[in-house]
Amino acid sequence: MKFLADGTHLAIIAAKFSCGAPRAGAEKGPEAIMQTGVFQEIATKANLAISFDMLAAEPAPADQTEAKEKEEERLGIGLGLKRPREVSAAVQRVSSAVYRHARRGRFVLTVGGDHSIGAGTVTGTAKALRDRFAGQQQQRQQELGVLWIDAHADINTPETSRSGRFHGMPVAFASGLAPSPQRGVFDWLEPSHRINLRRFVYIGLRDVDEAEKELIARHQVKAFTMEDVNRLGIDKIMDAALDHLGPDTPIHASYDIDSLDPEWAPSTGFPVPAGLSLEEGVRVARRLHESGNLIALDLVEINPDIAPSLLDLTVNAGCRLIKTALGVE
């Protein structure tokens, strides 16, 4: 892959967080994937060295009671977010871990966890690219492109969100649409972390809030819904997506397992019917690999506590997406 300085090393980050979602369980997703042995298979078939960063939630401070959280939110410390300090700290840890590997030119695979971590993964990659190519003539051309494969747009701001849950806001925070950080909550985000929504593409949308639709239209974000996929076919969608990002753009793909139809991925927090088939999801992954521009990948929102009798179906789908994106299937 032409944008990787160290193409022999796969950095895997297990982001065991679910603090941005309304229910627990997604923090167990990384372990469910790892137990399959998929990473050993990838290492053998692709002849890669693999490193693991295991990130998990830290115990809450003794004074971090529910009453204190509500008081923080009332005062604006958390910008209206649920569990503001915990979410900010978790996302920062993910961003720092991704940055550390991406700065060295390694492919970074992050397994979640709820999709809140996407605000950390893409910001870590974006900052690493800017730092790697700082001062070089091609820096502008090598600004990060993002493919967000999801049933949901995740672009609410704290003002538009009805739930206050961060897993519906990572795109807004990563792109700078959310309000300025304040008083210890997301104040680590710098302009160098930001992604450019002109180099951002959605695939698989089918459950989008009205406020999110307005934001997508206002900022001219390229978005392909499932209606588009069904009308045009996944290959034409990928042609258009890759053309929009450009042939010389490094790509970070953030794959929510709920982009797949619940027939293929039932063990997830917010399944939405009429999603991508497994073969369509695999085709997206294959086209990303074939582009030669994929430098980072997320797989999130596998929740072993939901439909546990069908967990193997969901995990196997996730493993197939990972292997295809990495070119070993």
mmCIF file of all heavy atoms in Angstrom, residues 132-150:
data_model
loop_
_atom_site.group_PDB
_atom_site.id
_atom_site.type_symbol
_atom_site.label_atom_id
_atom_site.label_comp_id
_atom_site.label_asym_id
_atom_site.label_seq_id
_atom_site.Cartn_x
_atom_site.Cartn_y
_atom_site.Cartn_z
ATOM 1 N N ARG A 132 3.381 13.283 9.280
ATOM 2 C CA ARG A 132 4.305 12.525 8.432
ATOM 3 C C ARG A 132 4.715 13.315 7.205
ATOM 4 O O ARG A 132 5.875 13.263 6.777
ATOM 5 C CB ARG A 132 3.658 11.214 7.982
ATOM 6 C CG ARG A 132 3.703 10.078 8.998
ATOM 7 C CD ARG A 132 3.096 8.816 8.416
ATOM 8 N NE ARG A 132 3.868 8.341 7.260
ATOM 9 C CZ ARG A 132 3.373 7.552 6.310
ATOM 10 N NH1 ARG A 132 2.109 7.146 6.376
ATOM 11 N NH2 ARG A 132 4.128 7.148 5.323
ATOM 12 N N PHE A 133 3.766 14.030 6.625
ATOM 13 C CA PHE A 133 4.038 14.710 5.359
ATOM 14 C C PHE A 133 4.195 16.217 5.513
ATOM 15 O O PHE A 133 4.148 16.953 4.529
ATOM 16 C CB PHE A 133 2.925 14.396 4.355
ATOM 17 C CG PHE A 133 2.859 12.942 3.993
ATOM 18 C CD1 PHE A 133 1.825 12.139 4.451
ATOM 19 C CD2 PHE A 133 3.845 12.375 3.208
ATOM 20 C CE1 PHE A 133 1.776 10.784 4.123
ATOM 21 C CE2 PHE A 133 3.792 11.020 2.868
ATOM 22 C CZ PHE A 133 2.754 10.227 3.324
ATOM 23 N N ALA A 134 4.375 16.681 6.733
ATOM 24 C CA ALA A 134 4.522 18.121 6.979
ATOM 25 C C ALA A 134 5.669 18.694 6.145
ATOM 26 O O ALA A 134 6.767 18.144 6.118
ATOM 27 C CB ALA A 134 4.780 18.375 8.461
ATOM 28 N N GLY A 135 5.367 19.788 5.461
ATOM 29 C CA GLY A 135 6.400 20.458 4.682
ATOM 30 C C GLY A 135 6.641 19.886 3.309
ATOM 31 O O GLY A 135 7.380 20.469 2.509
ATOM 32 N N GLN A 136 6.025 18.743 3.010
ATOM 33 C CA GLN A 136 6.228 18.141 1.691
ATOM 34 C C GLN A 136 5.217 18.688 0.692
ATOM 35 O O GLN A 136 4.097 19.041 1.037
ATOM 36 C CB GLN A 136 6.113 16.617 1.772
ATOM 37 C CG GLN A 136 7.175 15.972 2.662
ATOM 38 C CD GLN A 136 7.120 14.461 2.609
ATOM 39 O OE1 GLN A 136 6.673 13.880 1.633
ATOM 40 N NE2 GLN A 136 7.578 13.817 3.663
ATOM 41 N N GLN A 137 5.602 18.737 -0.546
ATOM 42 C CA GLN A 137 4.782 19.348 -1.579
ATOM 43 C C GLN A 137 3.444 18.639 -1.749
ATOM 44 O O GLN A 137 2.430 19.259 -2.034
ATOM 45 C CB GLN A 137 5.541 19.340 -2.905
ATOM 46 C CG GLN A 137 4.863 20.166 -3.999
ATOM 47 C CD GLN A 137 5.731 20.258 -5.233
ATOM 48 O OE1 GLN A 137 6.736 19.570 -5.337
ATOM 49 N NE2 GLN A 137 5.356 21.114 -6.161
ATOM 50 N N GLN A 138 3.443 17.335 -1.533
ATOM 51 C CA GLN A 138 2.225 16.564 -1.753
ATOM 52 C C GLN A 138 1.329 16.499 -0.522
ATOM 53 O O GLN A 138 0.360 15.753 -0.495
ATOM 54 C CB GLN A 138 2.556 15.139 -2.201
ATOM 55 C CG GLN A 138 3.148 14.244 -1.115
ATOM 56 C CD GLN A 138 4.659 14.302 -1.074
ATOM 57 O OE1 GLN A 138 5.239 15.364 -1.259
ATOM 58 N NE2 GLN A 138 5.299 13.180 -0.838
ATOM 59 N N GLN A 139 1.597 17.306 0.503
ATOM 60 C CA GLN A 139 0.834 17.196 1.744
ATOM 61 C C GLN A 139 -0.664 17.370 1.516
ATOM 62 O O GLN A 139 -1.478 16.614 2.044
ATOM 63 C CB GLN A 139 1.316 18.225 2.769
ATOM 64 C CG GLN A 139 0.573 18.125 4.108
ATOM 65 C CD GLN A 139 1.057 19.169 5.109
ATOM 66 O OE1 GLN A 139 1.814 20.059 4.770
ATOM 67 N NE2 GLN A 139 0.611 19.043 6.332
ATOM 68 N N ARG A 140 -1.049 18.353 0.724
ATOM 69 C CA ARG A 140 -2.471 18.613 0.521
ATOM 70 C C ARG A 140 -3.153 17.429 -0.152
ATOM 71 O O ARG A 140 -4.272 17.042 0.197
ATOM 72 C CB ARG A 140 -2.668 19.884 -0.305
ATOM 73 C CG ARG A 140 -4.124 20.267 -0.458
ATOM 74 C CD ARG A 140 -4.269 21.595 -1.183
ATOM 75 N NE ARG A 140 -5.674 21.937 -1.348
ATOM 76 C CZ ARG A 140 -6.098 23.010 -1.999
ATOM 77 N NH1 ARG A 140 -5.223 23.843 -2.528
ATOM 78 N NH2 ARG A 140 -7.384 23.257 -2.127
ATOM 79 N N GLN A 141 -2.472 16.841 -1.139
ATOM 80 C CA GLN A 141 -3.057 15.707 -1.846
ATOM 81 C C GLN A 141 -3.187 14.483 -0.931
ATOM 82 O O GLN A 141 -3.998 13.602 -1.179
ATOM 83 C CB GLN A 141 -2.206 15.354 -3.071
ATOM 84 C CG GLN A 141 -2.351 16.314 -4.241
ATOM 85 C CD GLN A 141 -1.677 17.655 -3.987
ATOM 86 O OE1 GLN A 141 -0.697 17.731 -3.247
ATOM 87 N NE2 GLN A 141 -2.203 18.711 -4.572
ATOM 88 N N GLN A 142 -2.387 14.423 0.115
ATOM 89 C CA GLN A 142 -2.412 13.261 0.983
ATOM 90 C C GLN A 142 -3.196 13.506 2.274
ATOM 91 O O GLN A 142 -2.983 12.832 3.270
ATOM 92 C CB GLN A 142 -0.989 12.794 1.245
ATOM 93 C CG GLN A 142 -0.350 12.256 -0.031
ATOM 94 C CD GLN A 142 1.058 11.749 0.145
ATOM 95 O OE1 GLN A 142 1.684 11.964 1.154
ATOM 96 N NE2 GLN A 142 1.561 11.066 -0.865
ATOM 97 N N GLU A 143 -4.101 14.465 2.222
ATOM 98 C CA GLU A 143 -5.032 14.644 3.321
ATOM 99 C C GLU A 143 -5.937 13.408 3.392
ATOM 100 O O GLU A 143 -6.294 12.822 2.376
ATOM 101 C CB GLU A 143 -5.867 15.900 3.098
ATOM 102 C CG GLU A 143 -6.814 16.203 4.245
ATOM 103 C CD GLU A 143 -7.576 17.496 4.005
ATOM 104 O OE1 GLU A 143 -8.075 17.683 2.884
ATOM 105 O OE2 GLU A 143 -7.656 18.304 4.924
ATOM 106 N N LEU A 144 -6.312 13.020 4.591
ATOM 107 C CA LEU A 144 -7.063 11.789 4.799
ATOM 108 C C LEU A 144 -8.452 11.833 4.177
ATOM 109 O O LEU A 144 -9.175 12.823 4.291
ATOM 110 C CB LEU A 144 -7.195 11.526 6.307
ATOM 111 C CG LEU A 144 -7.878 10.215 6.697
ATOM 112 C CD1 LEU A 144 -7.031 9.016 6.296
ATOM 113 C CD2 LEU A 144 -8.141 10.189 8.210
ATOM 114 N N GLY A 145 -8.828 10.722 3.530
ATOM 115 C CA GLY A 145 -10.200 10.489 3.116
ATOM 116 C C GLY A 145 -10.827 9.465 4.050
ATOM 117 O O GLY A 145 -10.148 8.556 4.530
ATOM 118 N N VAL A 146 -12.105 9.609 4.329
ATOM 119 C CA VAL A 146 -12.798 8.720 5.270
ATOM 120 C C VAL A 146 -14.018 8.103 4.592
ATOM 121 O O VAL A 146 -14.827 8.819 3.986
ATOM 122 C CB VAL A 146 -13.233 9.467 6.548
ATOM 123 C CG1 VAL A 146 -14.029 8.534 7.462
ATOM 124 C CG2 VAL A 146 -12.018 10.031 7.281
ATOM 125 N N LEU A 147 -14.139 6.794 4.703
ATOM 126 C CA LEU A 147 -15.325 6.069 4.262
ATOM 127 C C LEU A 147 -16.015 5.552 5.523
ATOM 128 O O LEU A 147 -15.425 4.761 6.271
ATOM 129 C CB LEU A 147 -14.935 4.916 3.343
ATOM 130 C CG LEU A 147 -16.061 4.278 2.527
ATOM 131 C CD1 LEU A 147 -16.600 5.269 1.505
ATOM 132 C CD2 LEU A 147 -15.565 3.030 1.809
ATOM 133 N N TRP A 148 -17.240 6.013 5.763
ATOM 134 C CA TRP A 148 -17.990 5.679 6.982
ATOM 135 C C TRP A 148 -19.133 4.762 6.576
ATOM 136 O O TRP A 148 -20.108 5.188 5.974
ATOM 137 C CB TRP A 148 -18.527 6.959 7.626
ATOM 138 C CG TRP A 148 -18.920 6.868 9.065
ATOM 139 C CD1 TRP A 148 -20.144 6.557 9.559
ATOM 140 C CD2 TRP A 148 -18.094 7.150 10.203
ATOM 141 N NE1 TRP A 148 -20.148 6.611 10.932
ATOM 142 C CE2 TRP A 148 -18.901 6.981 11.356
ATOM 143 C CE3 TRP A 148 -16.762 7.519 10.358
ATOM 144 C CZ2 TRP A 148 -18.406 7.177 12.649
ATOM 145 C CZ3 TRP A 148 -16.273 7.714 11.638
ATOM 146 C CH2 TRP A 148 -17.083 7.547 12.776
ATOM 147 N N ILE A 149 -19.003 3.477 6.878
ATOM 148 C CA ILE A 149 -19.956 2.461 6.412
ATOM 149 C C ILE A 149 -20.861 2.120 7.582
ATOM 150 O O ILE A 149 -20.443 1.477 8.545
ATOM 151 C CB ILE A 149 -19.202 1.222 5.900
ATOM 152 C CG1 ILE A 149 -18.133 1.637 4.882
ATOM 153 C CG2 ILE A 149 -20.155 0.220 5.269
ATOM 154 C CD1 ILE A 149 -16.833 0.923 5.047
ATOM 155 N N ASP A 150 -22.124 2.542 7.513
ATOM 156 C CA ASP A 150 -22.945 2.563 8.724
ATOM 157 C C ASP A 150 -24.408 2.728 8.338
ATOM 158 O O ASP A 150 -24.722 3.375 7.333
ATOM 159 C CB ASP A 150 -22.501 3.757 9.589
ATOM 160 C CG ASP A 150 -22.860 3.631 11.059
ATOM 161 O OD1 ASP A 150 -23.906 3.040 11.364
ATOM 162 O OD2 ASP A 150 -22.098 4.138 11.901
#
